[in-house]
Structure formats: structure tokens, C-alpha cells
Amino acid sequence: MNVQSLAFAAALVAASAGALAVLPAGAQNLDVIKQRQEAMKNIGGAAKAAGQMLKGEVAFDAAKAAAVFTVMASNAKEFGTHFPEDSKTGGKTEAAPAIWTKPEEFKAELAKFEGDIAAAAATKPESLDAFKPAFASVAQNCKGCHEEFRVDN
């Protein structure tokens, strides 16, 4: 390689580095977005199983009812950690800006959700009549949080 080629290569590398430096900071944490989407998918699956029992589409089963709360609790436990600043956009996220502009309110909603799941699970519903109010308190959290902290794409 001659001196001119080396100089050209060095200039090209320098120009590329400079171009990267002026790009807008838009790198998104797609891994964490996928993690929270997976957690919501799991919670949604548990809610669907609950709904099927509540509607009589499947027979009530105390073990399945307990599993609904277990799945919801395990996914809700770390859900709040899946919202770093670099995950506001990208990956078809449905996270609303309010998560970052009202972080204390968001944390309070998550804490209420976790508390209501724990309280519902503690009732250990053995019948559909006992499961209905236990699950209703949990489901109400979903609706409330989705209204303010989720953008429906």
C-alpha cells in the first residue's frame, strides 16, 4: 500500500468516526423492550386463562387459578426494571412517555399491581365465586395502568 492509499484510508476512517459522532443519540435498548414485552405477553396469557374460567369456556380449576396469580406475580416483580431511558422508542414498544415523565406514579401503579396480585393469591380461591372478586381487583390494575402508561399501537 502506498502513502497516498494510507492517507486516504486514514482520512476515510477519521471521516467515518466524525460522522458517527454527529449522529443523533438514538440507540435503543431493544433487549429490555423485548423483556418487558415478553413479561406483558405472559401476564396477558395468565389474564386470558382467568377470563376463560370466568366466562365458563373452561372449567374452574383451583390450581390453574393459583397459577394465574403466580405467573402474574413473577412477571410483575421485575417489570418496573425494564424501562431505562434508552428504551423509550423502538421495537414496537407500547410504553407511553408518561412512564418517564411521571416515574413516581408509574412505580406506584406497579406497586399496587404487585400488592393486589399478592392479596388475590393469598385468598387461595377454591371456587369460581371466590376467584371472581380476587381476579377482578387485579384486572382493574391492568386497565388503570394501560390507560395512562400504554400507547395502543
Side-chain angles (χ1 to χ4, degrees):
M1 189 179 283
N2 63 29
V3 176
Q4 287 177 327
S5 296
L6 278 174
F8 178 74
L12 187 59
V13 168
S16 296
L20 290 176
V22 298
L23 289 175
Q28 293 302 301
N29 191 339
L30 298 179
D31 289 337
V32 79
I33 293 170
K34 286 180 183 178
Q35 290 171 342
R36 68 182 181 231
Q37 289 171 335
E38 187 65 27
M40 275 290 104
K41 182 179 176 183
N42 294 338
I43 291 170
K48 181 178 179 180
Q52 289 172 331
M53 285 189 281
L54 293 170
K55 294 176 189 173
E57 295 172 359
V58 298
F60 174 80
D61 180 307
K64 287 181 183 177
V68 163
F69 297 132
T70 300
V71 168
M72 288 183 148
S74 66
N75 283 275
K77 184 176 181 179
E78 292 186 26
F79 186 70
T81 66
H82 298 311
F83 294 91
E85 287 290 322
D86 64 350
S87 70
K88 293 178 182 181
T89 61
K92 297 182 182 176
T93 184
E94 294 181 349
I99 290 170
W100 293 275
T101 60
K102 300 177 180 181
E104 295 308 314
E105 290 91 336
F106 181 62
K107 289 176 190 173
E109 286 286 335
L110 289 175
K112 183 175 181 338
F113 183 52
E114 289 182 62
D116 286 347
I117 293 169
T123 67
K124 298 181 181 174
E126 293 293 323
S127 69
L128 183 60
D129 288 338
F131 181 65
K132 284 179 184 180
F135 183 73
S137 67
V138 173
Q140 189 61 34
N141 283 291
C142 298
K143 181 182 180 220
C145 195
H146 282 199
E147 287 176 352
E148 184 165 8
F149 297 109
R150 177 177 173 244
V151 175
D152 192 10
N153 290 335

